[in-house]
Amino acid sequence: MRSSNPILRRLPTAPPPPAHYGPPPQQAYSYGGRTYAVPTDPRTGWAPPVAQDVMTIDDVVVKTVTLLGTAVAAAAATWIVVPATAMTPVWIAAMLIGLVLGLVISFAQVTNPVVLIGYAVVEGVFLGAVSKAFETRWDGIVLQAVIATLGVFFTMAGLYKARIIRATPKFTRIVIGAAAGLAVVTLVNLLITMFTGSAGPLRDGGGLAIVFSLICIVVAALMFVVTFGQIEEGIRAGLPRRYGWLGAFGILVELVWLYLEMLRLISFLQDD
């Protein structure tokens, strides 16, 4: 049976092993384009008794809290230390570094905690500079955006836990495709803004900009479901514990994206 996880493909399984023999129930798994063989007992052909160094939901939660806490601390430090006149170059530099580092982590499937915590620091610097810039112009907007972001996150977590929304293969393909398309459009719009100095219709606060932000918010919210599904499937497959960092990384990226779109949407509505 093929997995719904685009980066995890489970191979056919054999009949159930004795009860004391443990996960994963497949002979190999592929993660991030690499195939890993599951050690087997030569007498039974099954994996030996369950190892302790495997992914668990509690471990993923701890790693997620670690990355989020690091990002928040870096954002607070940036807000306090960096003067308002330096905010623009700081957020541009942090954005570019974060973009490159994020792509490397995604495509290389980096699970080194030092690299991932470093990424969280860069994202925190970026968020701190952007948030202070928005707060300077729209008083109270940061608190509103934080509340809205957390509200969406916990709502999607509740819907996923209740199995009201599920990460089926078709759902996953559609949402990832939509997110990739929006990322390309956003990047192109950013390049146009940098070269022309104009925000363009997607970010100028007009009707089209509001609709675009709403679409981004919906897709970012649905991406949580995809990530929850990937984490759950990785746990079922008995992936090594270090892969929990990738699940935490995915949640951090989606929270940052959602928060930025909330900031933009609220700023558009307040200007109106």
Side-chain angles (χ1 to χ4, degrees), residues 104-130:
V104 171
I105 292 171
S106 297
F107 287 104
Q109 297 293 289
V110 177
T111 58
N112 188 322
V114 174
V115 176
L116 288 157
I117 290 174
Y119 173 80
V121 171
V122 173
E123 287 299 284
V125 172
F126 169 66
L127 290 176
V130 169

Short mmCIF file of all heavy atoms in Angstrom, two decimals, residues 104-130:
data_model
loop_
_atom_site.label_atom_id
_atom_site.label_comp_id
_atom_site.label_asym_id
_atom_site.label_seq_id
_atom_site.Cartn_x
_atom_site.Cartn_y
_atom_site.Cartn_z
N VAL A 104 17.32 24.46 1.95
CA VAL A 104 18.33 23.42 2.18
C VAL A 104 17.78 22.36 3.13
O VAL A 104 17.92 21.15 2.90
CB VAL A 104 19.62 24.03 2.74
CG1 VAL A 104 20.59 22.93 3.19
CG2 VAL A 104 20.28 24.92 1.70
N ILE A 105 17.15 22.80 4.21
CA ILE A 105 16.60 21.85 5.19
C ILE A 105 15.52 20.98 4.54
O ILE A 105 15.48 19.76 4.75
CB ILE A 105 16.01 22.61 6.40
CG1 ILE A 105 17.14 23.28 7.19
CG2 ILE A 105 15.23 21.66 7.30
CD1 ILE A 105 16.66 24.22 8.27
N SER A 106 14.68 21.59 3.74
CA SER A 106 13.57 20.86 3.12
C SER A 106 14.06 19.82 2.12
O SER A 106 13.64 18.66 2.16
CB SER A 106 12.63 21.84 2.41
OG SER A 106 12.04 22.73 3.34
N PHE A 107 14.94 20.22 1.22
CA PHE A 107 15.37 19.32 0.15
C PHE A 107 16.41 18.30 0.61
O PHE A 107 16.43 17.17 0.11
CB PHE A 107 15.90 20.12 -1.04
CG PHE A 107 14.82 20.82 -1.82
CD1 PHE A 107 14.63 22.19 -1.69
CD2 PHE A 107 13.98 20.11 -2.66
CE1 PHE A 107 13.62 22.84 -2.40
CE2 PHE A 107 12.97 20.74 -3.37
CZ PHE A 107 12.78 22.10 -3.24
N ALA A 108 17.25 18.68 1.57
CA ALA A 108 18.28 17.75 2.07
C ALA A 108 17.78 16.94 3.25
O ALA A 108 18.50 16.06 3.73
CB ALA A 108 19.54 18.52 2.45
N GLN A 109 16.55 17.24 3.73
CA GLN A 109 15.98 16.54 4.88
C GLN A 109 16.94 16.59 6.07
O GLN A 109 17.26 15.58 6.70
CB GLN A 109 15.67 15.09 4.51
CG GLN A 109 14.61 14.93 3.44
CD GLN A 109 13.24 15.40 3.92
OE1 GLN A 109 12.61 14.76 4.76
NE2 GLN A 109 12.77 16.51 3.40
N VAL A 110 17.40 17.80 6.39
CA VAL A 110 18.34 18.00 7.49
C VAL A 110 17.65 17.75 8.82
O VAL A 110 16.57 18.30 9.09
CB VAL A 110 18.92 19.43 7.45
CG1 VAL A 110 19.84 19.66 8.64
CG2 VAL A 110 19.66 19.67 6.14
N THR A 111 18.26 16.93 9.66
CA THR A 111 17.69 16.65 10.97
C THR A 111 18.64 17.07 12.10
O THR A 111 18.41 16.73 13.26
CB THR A 111 17.37 15.15 11.11
OG1 THR A 111 18.57 14.40 10.91
CG2 THR A 111 16.32 14.72 10.11
N ASN A 112 19.69 17.79 11.76
CA ASN A 112 20.64 18.26 12.76
C ASN A 112 19.99 19.36 13.60
O ASN A 112 19.62 20.41 13.07
CB ASN A 112 21.90 18.80 12.06
CG ASN A 112 23.00 19.13 13.05
OD1 ASN A 112 22.75 19.63 14.14
ND2 ASN A 112 24.23 18.87 12.66
N PRO A 113 19.85 19.16 14.92
CA PRO A 113 19.17 20.17 15.75
C PRO A 113 19.86 21.52 15.75
O PRO A 113 19.21 22.55 15.89
CB PRO A 113 19.17 19.53 17.15
CG PRO A 113 20.21 18.47 17.11
CD PRO A 113 20.25 17.98 15.70
N VAL A 114 21.19 21.54 15.60
CA VAL A 114 21.91 22.81 15.59
C VAL A 114 21.47 23.65 14.38
O VAL A 114 21.21 24.86 14.50
CB VAL A 114 23.43 22.58 15.55
CG1 VAL A 114 24.17 23.89 15.40
CG2 VAL A 114 23.89 21.84 16.81
N VAL A 115 21.36 23.01 13.22
CA VAL A 115 20.93 23.72 12.01
C VAL A 115 19.50 24.21 12.16
O VAL A 115 19.17 25.36 11.81
CB VAL A 115 21.06 22.80 10.77
CG1 VAL A 115 20.52 23.50 9.53
CG2 VAL A 115 22.51 22.40 10.57
N LEU A 116 18.64 23.37 12.69
CA LEU A 116 17.22 23.73 12.80
C LEU A 116 17.00 24.82 13.85
O LEU A 116 16.17 25.72 13.66
CB LEU A 116 16.40 22.48 13.13
CG LEU A 116 16.30 21.54 11.93
CD1 LEU A 116 16.02 20.12 12.36
CD2 LEU A 116 15.23 22.00 10.96
N ILE A 117 17.73 24.77 14.94
CA ILE A 117 17.62 25.84 15.94
C ILE A 117 18.19 27.14 15.36
O ILE A 117 17.65 28.23 15.61
CB ILE A 117 18.35 25.44 17.23
CG1 ILE A 117 17.56 24.31 17.93
CG2 ILE A 117 18.49 26.64 18.17
CD1 ILE A 117 18.26 23.72 19.14
N GLY A 118 19.26 27.03 14.57
CA GLY A 118 19.79 28.21 13.89
C GLY A 118 18.76 28.82 12.95
O GLY A 118 18.62 30.05 12.87
N TYR A 119 18.02 27.95 12.25
CA TYR A 119 16.96 28.45 11.38
C TYR A 119 15.89 29.18 12.20
O TYR A 119 15.39 30.23 11.79
CB TYR A 119 16.32 27.28 10.62
CG TYR A 119 15.11 27.67 9.82
CD1 TYR A 119 15.24 28.27 8.57
CD2 TYR A 119 13.82 27.44 10.30
CE1 TYR A 119 14.13 28.65 7.84
CE2 TYR A 119 12.71 27.81 9.58
CZ TYR A 119 12.86 28.40 8.34
OH TYR A 119 11.75 28.78 7.62
N ALA A 120 15.54 28.62 13.35
CA ALA A 120 14.54 29.26 14.21
C ALA A 120 15.01 30.64 14.67
O ALA A 120 14.22 31.59 14.76
CB ALA A 120 14.24 28.37 15.41
N VAL A 121 16.31 30.78 14.95
CA VAL A 121 16.87 32.08 15.35
C VAL A 121 16.72 33.09 14.21
O VAL A 121 16.28 34.24 14.42
CB VAL A 121 18.35 31.94 15.74
CG1 VAL A 121 18.99 33.32 15.93
CG2 VAL A 121 18.49 31.12 17.02
N VAL A 122 17.08 32.67 12.99
CA VAL A 122 16.96 33.56 11.83
C VAL A 122 15.51 33.98 11.61
O VAL A 122 15.22 35.16 11.37
CB VAL A 122 17.51 32.87 10.57
CG1 VAL A 122 17.25 33.73 9.33
CG2 VAL A 122 19.01 32.61 10.71
N GLU A 123 14.59 33.02 11.70
CA GLU A 123 13.17 33.34 11.54
C GLU A 123 12.70 34.28 12.64
O GLU A 123 11.86 35.16 12.41
CB GLU A 123 12.34 32.06 11.55
CG GLU A 123 12.46 31.24 10.29
CD GLU A 123 11.99 31.98 9.06
OE1 GLU A 123 10.76 32.12 8.87
OE2 GLU A 123 12.83 32.46 8.29
N GLY A 124 13.21 34.09 13.85
CA GLY A 124 12.84 34.97 14.95
C GLY A 124 13.30 36.41 14.71
O GLY A 124 12.55 37.36 14.97
N VAL A 125 14.52 36.56 14.21
CA VAL A 125 15.02 37.91 13.88
C VAL A 125 14.13 38.55 12.82
O VAL A 125 13.76 39.73 12.92
CB VAL A 125 16.48 37.82 13.40
CG1 VAL A 125 16.94 39.18 12.87
CG2 VAL A 125 17.39 37.36 14.53
N PHE A 126 13.79 37.77 11.81
CA PHE A 126 12.92 38.27 10.74
C PHE A 126 11.56 38.69 11.30
O PHE A 126 11.06 39.79 11.02
CB PHE A 126 12.75 37.18 9.69
CG PHE A 126 11.68 37.45 8.66
CD1 PHE A 126 11.79 38.50 7.77
CD2 PHE A 126 10.54 36.65 8.60
CE1 PHE A 126 10.81 38.76 6.83
CE2 PHE A 126 9.55 36.89 7.66
CZ PHE A 126 9.69 37.96 6.78
N LEU A 127 10.95 37.83 12.11
CA LEU A 127 9.63 38.13 12.67
C LEU A 127 9.68 39.34 13.61
O LEU A 127 8.76 40.16 13.61
CB LEU A 127 9.09 36.92 13.43
CG LEU A 127 8.69 35.71 12.58
CD1 LEU A 127 8.27 34.56 13.48
CD2 LEU A 127 7.55 36.09 11.64
N GLY A 128 10.75 39.45 14.40
CA GLY A 128 10.86 40.59 15.31
C GLY A 128 10.93 41.90 14.57
O GLY A 128 10.26 42.88 14.93
N ALA A 129 11.72 41.93 13.49
CA ALA A 129 11.86 43.17 12.71
C ALA A 129 10.56 43.52 11.99
O ALA A 129 10.11 44.68 12.01
CB ALA A 129 13.01 43.02 11.71
N VAL A 130 9.95 42.53 11.36
CA VAL A 130 8.70 42.78 10.64
C VAL A 130 7.58 43.20 11.60
O VAL A 130 6.82 44.13 11.33
CB VAL A 130 8.28 41.52 9.85
CG1 VAL A 130 6.86 41.67 9.32
CG2 VAL A 130 9.24 41.28 8.70
#
